[in-house]
Amino acid sequence: MTTFILVVACAILALNLYIRFSPNDPEEWHLEPAEVDHPGRSGVRLIGRDAPRFPGDPDLVLQTFADIAAEERNMRLLDGSLDEGMMTFVKRTPVWGFPDLVTVMAVDEGAETKLSIVARSRFGSYDWGKNAARLDRWLQEMRLRLES
């Protein structure tokens, strides 16, 4: 019985280490949101007509999004830049370190900038609504900062 418990504990530890320290390859995750399959129940994708629009030029709007993302705990930039017009961020959960990835691309539409966004979990098929809730919170903050 003790051996069984030890084996299970080691397996859980190994799984946790794999999840927490597995690299996120920019070649796989830093893709234009419109080119990414809809993540289904493991995230949210806002493209085309569903994509939010904000007043201002793409650099200002994307920088505002990046500033809001940077304020989030356990969030870091994986790839991209203002010059590229697209950024991908990685957010890890506190306990297990599950990575969620958020890619945003700014598209100039004249007086407004469209943000095409995909937020998805790397592991699992259901994210408990975390990506949608985080994105809703960020977009509300963007409206406060850019539309007031």
Side-chain angles (χ1 to χ4, degrees), residues 98-136:
F98 285 104
D100 289 342
L101 294 105
V102 180
T103 300
V104 59
M105 184 173 80
V107 179
D108 190 353
E109 292 190 335
E112 293 182 314
T113 295
K114 174 176 75 173
L115 287 182
S116 296
I117 306 169
V118 62
R120 65 254 194 233
S121 296
R122 177 171 172 194
F123 297 107
S125 60
Y126 185 61
D127 73 347
W128 302 96
K130 294 289 186 182
N131 282 300
R134 180 183 313 111
L135 196 53
D136 284 346

Side-chain angles (χ1 to χ4, degrees), residues 2-71:
T2 304
T3 304
F4 175 75
I5 292 172
L6 185 58
V7 168
V8 169
C10 286
I12 290 171
L13 177 61
L15 178 63
N16 179 260
L17 291 173
Y18 173 75
I19 290 169
R20 182 165 295 282
F21 296 111
S22 60
N24 298 298
D25 181 7
E27 296 286 325
E28 183 179 348
W29 297 101
H30 185 62
L31 305 170
E32 291 187 17
E35 295 176 2
V36 175
D37 290 336
H38 193 287
R41 297 177 359 138
S42 69
V44 62
R45 185 176 71 162
L46 302 173
I47 61 170
R49 291 183 184 163
D50 294 333
R53 282 138 173 97
F54 295 95
D57 66 86
D59 285 348
L60 171 67
V61 174
L62 188 57
Q63 183 62 60
T64 302
F65 189 93
D67 291 344
I68 293 167
E71 294 168 8

